[in-house]
Amino acid sequence: MRHTIFVILLCVYLPSCTFSGGKAGPSGTHVSDSAPAQSAFQIGRKAIQLLPYPMRMSKLRHVVRSDNGEFYRSIEERKTELGAYDHSRGIGQELTWLETRMELWTKALQPICSSSHMFGQYSWRDGLAQFVQNAYGRDLSDADQAIISRIDGLNATPQAKFELYCLSVLSSLEFLTL
Amino acid sequence: MKNDIRAFIIFIVALAMSASYAFGTAPVYSEKAVVRYLSQVSSMLAGRPLTRDELERIKRERGDSIRPILETWIYDRFFPESAQTMIQTQLAASGSNNGINYNLPGNLAKYLARNALPYAEMLTADYCIDDQQKKIPCDTGAPFNAGVLTTRAYMVTNYGRFNLGRAGKMMRYFACLDYPMDKALQPPIVRERLIPMFQTLEAKPGADFGNGLACYTCHSQFGAHAQPFVKFDSFGLYRPEASGLQNPELEAGKSFDGLNASHLIDLSESASERSQMFGTEVANLRGAAVALAKSDKFLECAVQNSLHFYLRMTDSEASAIDPKVIRKIVADVKTTDRNPSLNELLLRALTHQSVIESVLASGEQR
């Protein structure tokens, strides 16, 4: 529970957890030097919209790098609460990021982020660039470094630090919406 | 000699630049613009963000990397899953309940995407696909198959009086059309063939159904699309004995034993599945599905629906996509493939300059 609250606070206050809305390039810069737009349409996403559940899970598997169902059991068991659909039971897709859903997702990530598999895969701090690459598809940004430094300053074991960072990345809007 | 070579090179470069200007060839995108564009779709298409190798390729090739990277994603392992999700969410059919497998429409989409088969088979496949991705007979018991239309999932999900739900969904989802539609595309049924309530041309005091406003305008077309569904009951099962007659004990549009009433007044017509789709006479739902799938509207709508899903647009944003761009995408695809797969349609759409520009421009505004 303490982890969950901490991660939520990190996500609320730290910049790399906030929704970039597609503006952040690999180094977080705002870019477009394409030719003058010949707009066929406009996409004006106003509210935060999660990726559909299968895409979120696929991204998670890409980061965890394991098909072992045990890792994902706590998520799969609550998947409809996390926005997955089952129309046969009258449950439609839900892509709104609610506080309750956020807490549930973060809790369900704990067995993954605290696993020796994940720590062995990435470790603290040497593997974090690869971790961010797998999660966000980009290099570490200054904002990421700031979070890492803040966590590094905590009086905790390397595995606990990794767990915290893992939770903050995998429950960030950049991971869940882009 | 040296000067000649230099002059020749300058000439070639100038020629290439003029050709690029004159024929409007693709603009040059920066590395960051390409990263931003592909990042918008990578999770939806590939189920993961950009990899280091892809970022390296973008750095080297910039705009030229867009197509090969998209192509890899669209023909890779995750894409069929995403196609399944698209169909399941857009047709609101998934899971299983009361002996009905609501996954069948999504399973077919996944199968077609996995094998890069023509997207038209969504309507024309003479088989269904089970949860293990194996071919099975469809489950309505009809003596014919018509892809997702002949699944109990589709029939039950869209069940309703006069079969308006089934016909309406077919038109909205597979042709992106609502009623009334262009009469040149869908010739109306003549008034005299319809039951009296649909013969109404204008509001009359005491109109006994709906809003009493110009029922004929829409239902003369609706009726043609609803008729092939007349033998499918509320459980989605095929009932050859269906008459299409109104049950006098029930509300308008309901026939007997969970079947729905026909729009047609003549008994021989109301009980028959014969109809016409976009001006083509058809014997049953399969015929209607084949005629629909042959229409350009079908491929145009597939492009619209897939951009809607993969670019995560709202309904209103998707319906506002410039139809000229959609038509151009379809025309381009058809120059090489008359019967394209969803893979090919989407690849063409996402590499179309206007689509790239629109996504990048939208990102700027957010």
Side-chain angles (χ1 to χ4, degrees):
Chain A
M1 185 60 188
R2 271 187 306 131
H3 275 164
T4 309
I5 292 167
F6 186 74
V7 168
I8 290 171
L9 286 174
L10 273 178
C11 287
V12 169
Y13 292 110
L14 293 176
S16 82
C17 280
T18 56
F19 182 48
S20 66
K23 284 184 181 177
S27 56
T29 49
H30 178 86
V31 183
S32 175
D33 67 345
S34 56
Q38 303 171 339
S39 261
F41 52 82
Q42 286 196 325
I43 311 173
R45 204 168 293 137
K46 288 181 179 65
I48 291 167
Q49 199 189 29
L50 294 171
L51 286 163
Y53 181 79
M55 284 67 183
R56 268 179 276 155
M57 289 306 290
S58 175
K59 284 183 80 175
L60 185 61
R61 285 192 169 85
H62 180 69
V63 176
V64 175
R65 304 203 164 260
S66 171
D67 287 327
N68 182 351
E70 275 305 299
F71 281 119
Y72 314 104
R73 195 158 54 92
S74 54
I75 297 177
E76 293 286 357
E77 282 173 356
R78 312 286 294 269
K79 67 183 195 179
T80 51
E81 292 165 79
L82 289 166
Y85 52 80
D86 182 347
H87 299 95
S88 70
R89 294 195 290 139
I91 301 167
Q93 175 170 251
E94 181 51 72
L95 303 178
T96 314
W97 197 216
L98 304 171
E99 199 179 317
T100 47
R101 201 162 283 145
M102 194 172 177
E103 189 176 335
L104 184 60
W105 174 258
T106 310
K107 273 184 186 167
L109 284 174
Q110 277 176 345
I112 294 172
C113 287
S114 64
S115 69
S116 51
H117 166 79
M118 283 292 274
F119 187 64
Q121 184 114 273
Y122 297 108
S123 78
W124 182 262
R125 310 184 34 162
D126 293 348
L128 297 187
Q130 188 61 48
F131 179 66
V132 162
Q133 173 63 51
N134 290 344
Y136 293 153
R138 60 167 175 77
D139 292 331
L140 282 167
S141 68
D142 291 345
D144 299 319
Q145 298 283 12
I147 299 175
I148 292 167
S149 297
R150 195 169 293 194
I151 295 174
D152 209 26
L154 297 173
N155 182 19
T157 63
Q159 185 155 359
K161 288 176 184 176
F162 175 77
E163 180 185 346
L164 206 50
Y165 186 60
C166 171
L167 288 170
S168 73
V169 168
L170 300 184
S171 53
S172 69
L173 292 181
E174 185 174 354
F175 180 76
L176 296 167
T177 64
L178 197 59
Chain B
M1 181 62 178
K2 224 179 214 175
N3 281 347
D4 286 348
I5 291 171
R6 184 181 293 169
F8 179 70
I9 290 171
I10 290 170
F11 171 71
I12 293 295
V13 170
L15 191 68
M17 287 171 70
S18 309
S20 168
Y21 179 78
F23 299 112
T25 51
V28 177
Y29 296 109
S30 73
E31 176 192 348
K32 286 176 180 173
V34 176
V35 167
R36 195 150 58 77
Y37 178 63
L38 292 176
S39 295
Q40 292 292 313
V41 290
S42 63
S43 297
M44 295 296 287
L45 293 169
R48 58 165 175 78
L50 289 160
T51 63
R52 220 179 275 283
D53 285 349
E54 286 163 349
L55 289 166
E56 284 298 318
R57 182 169 195 167
I58 293 168
K59 194 173 186 177
R60 281 195 316 272
E61 300 174 16
R62 300 189 181 191
D64 290 342
S65 66
I66 293 177
R67 186 185 168 89
I69 289 176
L70 286 173
E71 194 164 18
T72 303
W73 294 347
I74 285 173
Y75 288 91
D76 202 5
R77 184 181 51 85
F78 184 74
F79 182 71
E81 307 267 344
S82 72
Q84 180 180 42
T85 304
M86 177 176 87
I87 293 299
Q88 289 185 328
T89 52
Q90 293 184 339
L91 285 181
S94 63
S96 66
N97 201 0
N98 291 330
I100 300 176
N101 187 348
Y102 291 89
N103 290 322
L104 294 187
N107 289 350
L108 180 59
K110 182 177 180 179
Y111 179 84
L112 297 180
R114 200 162 61 124
N115 296 289
L117 293 169
Y119 187 65
E121 291 197 23
M122 285 297 289
L123 293 178
T124 63
D126 59 0
Y127 54 85
C128 276
I129 298 294
D130 70 10
D131 293 349
Q132 283 70 48
Q133 287 286 290
K134 296 274 183 278
K135 281 188 182 183
I136 52 167
C138 294
D139 57 354
T140 62
F144 51 81
N145 285 312
V148 301
L149 297 181
T150 43
T151 61
R152 293 179 71 188
Y154 182 86
M155 293 292 177
V156 171
T157 303
N158 299 295
Y159 175 76
R161 297 181 305 140
F162 289 113
N163 287 309
L164 296 178
R166 292 163 175 174
K169 185 71 173 185
M170 175 173 71
M171 280 300 113
R172 271 193 306 278
Y173 192 68
F174 292 107
C176 295
L177 291 173
D178 264 314
Y179 300 94
M181 56 190 71
D182 186 355
K183 287 180 187 169
L185 177 69
Q186 181 58 49
I189 300 171
V190 294
R191 287 180 67 202
E192 295 69 28
R193 288 174 61 204
L194 295 174
I195 56 176
M197 63 166 43
F198 292 132
Q199 292 186 6
T200 311
L201 283 170
E202 56 191 51
K204 285 180 184 171
D208 62 352
F209 174 70
N211 57 15
L213 289 169
C215 297
Y216 175 75
T217 311
C218 292
H219 285 275
S220 58
Q221 296 178 318
F222 234 142
H225 301 152
Q227 193 58 29
F229 290 102
V230 78
K231 292 187 185 295
F232 295 90
D233 69 13
S234 59
F235 299 106
L237 295 172
Y238 186 79
R239 303 274 295 278
E241 74 281 10
S243 66
L245 289 178
Q246 172 67 43
N247 182 338
E249 304 292 315
L250 298 177
E251 58 185 317
K254 298 225 168 185
S255 186
F256 301 88
D257 297 330
L259 290 152
N260 289 307
S262 166
H263 280 65
L264 302 170
I265 194 166
D266 183 89
L267 178 57
S268 66
E269 283 204 308
S270 71
S272 167
E273 298 163 276
R274 301 194 75 80
S275 193
Q276 53 102 347
M277 169 64 75
F278 294 166
T280 301
E281 295 293 323
V282 297
N284 52 33
L285 186 56
R286 177 168 180 78
V290 169
L292 173 55
K294 277 185 184 162
S295 157
D296 277 348
K297 290 285 174 206
F298 171 74
L299 289 182
E300 288 166 17
C301 191
V303 169
Q304 183 176 317
N305 288 337
S306 53
L307 288 177
H308 183 181
F309 177 74
Y310 286 100
L311 297 178
R312 299 156 70 201
M313 303 167 94
T314 63
D315 292 350
S316 55
E317 286 167 350
S319 13
I321 299 174
D322 184 349
K324 289 198 292 292
V325 170
I326 293 182
R327 282 197 292 272
K328 178 76 169 66
I329 291 167
V330 170
D332 286 351
V333 173
K334 288 176 80 173
T335 58
T336 52
D337 191 348
R338 302 288 303 170
N339 206 359
S341 60
L342 177 67
N343 316 56
E344 189 56 27
L345 281 172
L346 190 59
L347 182 61
R348 291 293 183 123
L350 292 176
T351 50
H352 194 281
Q353 188 186 333
S354 294
V355 171
I356 298 172
E357 298 291 342
S358 300
V359 172
L360 290 173
S362 297
E364 291 289 314
Q365 288 156 12
R366 280 184 226 158

